[in-house]
Amino acid sequence: MTDRVLGPWCPGGLALSVGGSQVLGLSCVIITGVWMEHYRGGFAWDGSSLEFNMHPLCMVLGLVFLYGDAILASRVFRNEGKSTIKVLHTTLHLGALVISVVGLVAVFSFHAGAKMADMYSLHSWCGILTLLLYCVQWLMGLGFHLFPGASARLRSRYLPLHDFFGLAVLGLAVASCLLGISEKLLFDIAPTYPNFAPEGILANALGLLLVGFGVLVGYTVTQEDFRRPLNPEEEALSVHFKTLTGEESVTAPDRPFQNPLFLAAH
């Protein structure tokens, strides 16, 4: 009738952890918007500095908040069917990618109009590396999902790498944002920054919130008690696989955490 999961609706601490991450993530997006609107003049798509303001907002929204939420999908909707989680997971990742590309185009467009050099700072290097790794991570995951002909053994061996690099890319995204915040403040308010200028305080608070969001997402997806439980059909397939191959199940309970993109393949 359905592939809904049978298990505890919400383990102790999961709601608090996920709720806290959403408060931090939304706060990051809102504060970035307030910073760019109130202190930097707002937003436009005209090649001016107002177009540049799209860059930090898009990167925080796409490459941090939506990306983090995509990672959390299987924890938040732990009792939903695999197909529902897969659609949500993939949609969030696609939205994060599209928004991040818009942010990237905005900064290159601004640099071209202002005749500024590209790709010379540590922030830009880390940012491009983050986006490239994100694209590779997304394409690899999508490939394994779309081509179920890949052996279960191959998928099980790749999954820990996918899990690790998923969190690694999120950490790199947060680090790139922190570098961008520092660079922006030093460019725009260097004379008043040491005097605790309100804009500097707001931006520093944004940096702390970004770190908090990344840490809380990482904590949530690495807790064994928060993992999505298997439904009876999945457990039966797991036992059948182990019987046929004589190996440990690809959904063995000692896996540190699961990426919902691959649950249907196991």
Side-chain angles (χ1 to χ4, degrees):
M1 179 176 64
T2 179
D3 59 350
R4 292 179 65 87
V5 176
L6 301 177
W9 181 80
C10 186
L14 176 58
L16 183 62
S17 183
V18 171
S21 71
Q22 297 311 287
V23 170
L24 291 176
L26 287 173
S27 297
C28 290
V29 175
I30 292 171
I31 290 177
T32 304
V34 170
W35 179 16
M36 294 299 109
E37 178 68 35
H38 181 70
Y39 289 102
R40 296 292 108 203
F43 304 92
W45 197 270
D46 56 4
S48 70
S49 61
L50 301 185
E51 182 174 347
F52 173 87
N53 293 344
M54 296 291 296
H55 173 68
L57 181 61
C58 287
M59 291 309 183
V60 170
L61 175 59
L63 211 52
V64 177
F65 181 57
L66 290 181
Y67 180 35
D69 275 3
I71 294 175
L72 291 173
S74 64
R75 302 302 188 270
V76 176
F77 300 97
R78 52 185 280 111
N79 293 330
E80 294 299 323
K82 293 180 298 183
S83 58
T84 301
I85 295 176
K86 285 192 299 178
V87 170
L88 178 61
H89 180 79
T90 304
T91 301
L92 286 172
H93 271 309
L94 182 59
L97 181 60
V98 170
I99 292 173
S100 299
V101 169
V102 171
L104 189 66
V105 171
V107 70
F108 278 112
S109 176
F110 164 70
H111 283 178
K115 301 189 184 316
M116 296 176 60
D118 294 315
M119 300 302 300
Y120 64 88
S121 68
L122 180 60
H123 164 64
S124 62
W125 288 18
C126 289
I128 285 293
L129 177 62
T130 301
L131 192 57
L132 289 176
L133 289 176
Y134 177 79
C135 290
V136 171
Q137 172 85 350
W138 191 78
L139 289 174
M140 289 289 290
L142 192 63
F144 272 83
H145 171 58
L146 289 178
F147 299 101
S151 68
R153 181 183 302 177
L154 180 61
R155 291 196 299 270
S156 67
R157 289 179 177 177
Y158 169 71
L159 183 58
L161 293 176
H162 187 85
D163 290 339
F164 169 78
F165 281 107
L167 286 181
V169 170
L170 178 62
L172 188 56
V174 171
S176 299
C177 288
L178 297 182
L179 290 171
I181 290 171
S182 296
E183 186 177 292
K184 181 67 172 172
L185 292 175
L186 292 176
F187 279 163
D188 293 342
I189 63 168
T192 59
Y193 189 29
N195 300 324
F196 294 94
E199 182 177 356
I201 294 175
L202 181 70
N204 288 347
L206 170 61
L208 291 179
L209 291 172
L210 286 167
V211 171
F213 176 76
V215 169
L216 202 49
V217 169
Y219 169 79
T220 304
V221 299
T222 54
Q223 292 303 295
E224 181 69 17
D225 291 344
F226 296 168
R227 288 198 309 114
R228 175 182 178 273
L230 299 179
N231 63 24
E233 290 80 4
E234 292 170 332
E235 291 184 358
L237 287 174
S238 175
V239 172
H240 182 60
F241 175 85
K242 185 175 180 180
T243 301
L244 290 176
T245 62
E247 297 178 355
E248 289 297 322
S249 166
V250 295
T251 54
D254 60 349
R255 283 172 51 187
F257 60 95
Q258 297 180 6
N259 187 314
L261 185 59
F262 293 94
L263 287 174
H266 298 156

